[in-house]
Amino acid sequence: MPTTVEVRAGDRPYEVVIGVGVRQLLPGIVERLGARRAVVVSARPRPWVPDPGVPSTVVPAHDGEHAKTLATVEDFCARFAAFGLGRADVVVACGGGTTTDVTGLAAALYHRGVAVIHVPTTLLAQVDASVGGKTAVNLPAGKNLVGAYWQPAAVLCDTEYLSTLPHRQRRNGLGEIARCHFIGAGDLSGLTTEQQIAASVALKADVVSRDERDTGLRHILNYGHTLGHALEIATDFRLYHGEAVAVGTVFAGRLAHALGRIGAERAAEHEAVVRRYDLPAALPEGVAAEELISIMRHDKKSAGGLSFVLDGDGGPALVAGVDAEAVRQVLGEMPRQPLDALVADTAEPAGTR
Ligand code: GLY
């Protein structure tokens, strides 16, 4: 039986359905929306592209940060127009988080907004990116700098897709699951993959329903992300998002301890959790602390200073104006490993069943 989580954000609530084969629910959802035509933007091969049950066309997409550009949005919108997609029709995004991000933005802009249904195919997209309505593309000046809040009409997390993923891609999704440990979900490592997805989505649904527009509480979803984003950029995205967030989570624990917000035991728990999921816990060799600090100063939430979501007595909170010297010191104390070793495909992660 699939699991359903309701998200109450935007104009109307929508369902995230998680389970084996749930992409088959797509035609029923399209029918309920009253759409007569659909464009399916897909980063997956044809046999895996879901059938929307109405006249449709498939637009090929490429997963990856390098495809998350305004040029891709323009290309998708041009293809929607060429197919004659109307305001009451629907776009379906089938692929990883970068594909749901860029397709979501195209749907938000085309005709000033057409319905979009996400069919995320990676663990990362299922546990985080496809849920909550954030859509975005990158600029040379930074990640996710152009975007819109556009809630999907439904999200279908079909766990059959996960069997097609390279092992490293699955581990990538575990980075977002690991950080849930510190923002209210507790230990998810012993659960089945479907339960881990459902728990992560339920946590996000709760946060997003209380702060859709990221004005306060939603910041906690970015646990481990300030350093994580900087590591992605500094390694030209060779370190995947979830891997970078895992390293960022270890760092967040150490920094919170250095600032007196948490004890040594809680800080050590960060590294233990990350290692439990077989995720990287060290900084890549050759990436200078000063480069990371400079990138982190340009983080959207930093406004020129250094801001991190950090654990503390009252739970995680966005801490602004963190002293650069403290950050430099904690970065200096982090273990280092060659980048190739950090991204090496290792054995089946313990947190996945
Ligand atoms: N991935 C963080 C958020 O959706 O707010």
Side-chain angles (χ1 to χ4, degrees):
M1 274 292 286
T3 308
T4 300
V5 177
E6 189 177 69
V7 185
R8 297 195 156 269
D11 295 346
R12 67 187 79 84
Y14 58 93
E15 289 186 343
V16 181
V17 189
I18 303 139
V20 176
V22 299
R23 65 187 183 285
Q24 314 294 353
L25 301 175
L26 183 62
I29 295 169
V30 170
E31 192 184 342
R32 274 204 300 284
L33 288 175
R36 288 174 304 109
R37 290 157 80 77
V39 174
V40 184
V41 178
S42 177
R44 290 293 169 270
R46 282 296 169 128
W48 285 99
V49 178
D51 175 10
V54 292
S56 62
T57 188
V58 176
V59 171
H62 299 283
D63 279 341
E65 291 292 337
H66 294 289
K68 259 180 67 169
T69 64
L70 281 168
T72 309
V73 172
E74 183 176 1
D75 177 51
F76 287 175
C77 289
R79 285 162 185 259
F80 300 167
F83 182 64
L85 198 78
R87 292 182 68 176
D89 292 330
V90 67
V91 172
V92 178
C94 174
T98 51
T99 294
T100 57
D101 270 8
V102 70
T103 307
L105 182 56
L109 297 175
Y110 184 72
H111 280 309
R112 298 191 186 84
V114 292
V116 63
I117 299 170
H118 292 315
V119 185
T121 60
T122 63
L123 186 57
L124 188 91
Q126 295 191 355
V127 298
D128 183 57
S130 65
V131 178
K134 275 190 182 174
T135 72
V137 293
N138 303 331
L139 292 180
K143 219 174 113 96
N144 296 335
L145 282 187
V146 178
Y149 290 95
W150 191 241
Q151 298 294 341
V155 182
L156 300 175
C157 298
D158 191 332
T159 50
E160 255 173 14
Y161 284 115
L162 305 181
S163 63
T164 68
L165 295 180
H167 170 254
R168 191 177 159 211
Q169 264 302 344
R170 284 186 68 132
R171 191 179 72 158
N172 188 31
L174 293 174
E176 295 285 15
I177 293 172
R179 69 84 164 90
C180 286
H181 187 109
F182 300 99
I183 57 173
D187 187 7
L188 305 179
S189 65
L191 304 181
T192 64
T193 300
E194 189 172 319
Q195 289 168 332
Q196 288 175 335
I197 298 166
S200 306
V201 169
L203 174 72
K204 184 159 188 181
D206 178 52
V207 170
V208 166
S209 68
R210 292 192 275 153
D211 178 23
E212 185 199 7
R213 300 276 161 153
D214 213 354
T215 55
L217 180 69
R218 190 166 177 162
H219 296 340
I220 68 166
L221 297 174
N222 276 338
Y223 203 80
H225 282 58
T226 311
L227 180 62
H229 283 158
L231 285 169
E232 284 182 90
I233 293 166
T235 61
D236 195 21
F237 300 104
R238 284 187 61 209
L239 207 55
Y240 287 173
H241 180 72
E243 296 168 335
V245 166
V247 181
T249 296
V250 173
F251 170 78
R254 286 174 173 242
L255 183 62
H257 177 50
L259 297 177
R261 295 177 59 86
I262 59 172
E265 206 174 303
R266 180 70 167 166
E269 191 179 337
H270 285 68
E271 184 160 342
V273 167
V274 162
R275 290 201 184 281
R276 201 173 299 155
Y277 288 98
D278 193 33
L279 285 155
L283 291 176
E285 280 171 5
V287 176
E290 288 313 317
E291 183 187 358
L292 293 171
I293 290 171
S294 160
I295 298 170
M296 289 192 287
R297 282 190 199 282
H298 291 95
D299 188 90
K300 284 195 295 301
K301 293 189 173 54
S302 288
L306 288 166
S307 297
F308 300 87
V309 182
L310 296 176
D311 202 3
D313 278 346
L318 184 67
V319 181
V322 177
D323 177 28
E325 194 42 48
V327 174
R328 196 171 286 119
Q329 176 141 0
V330 176
L331 284 173
E333 289 163 4
M334 287 280 288
R336 293 265 184 180
Q337 267 188 276
L339 181 58
D340 285 346
L342 289 177
V343 303
D345 223 349
T346 53
E348 187 68 13
T352 305
R353 286 205 272 143

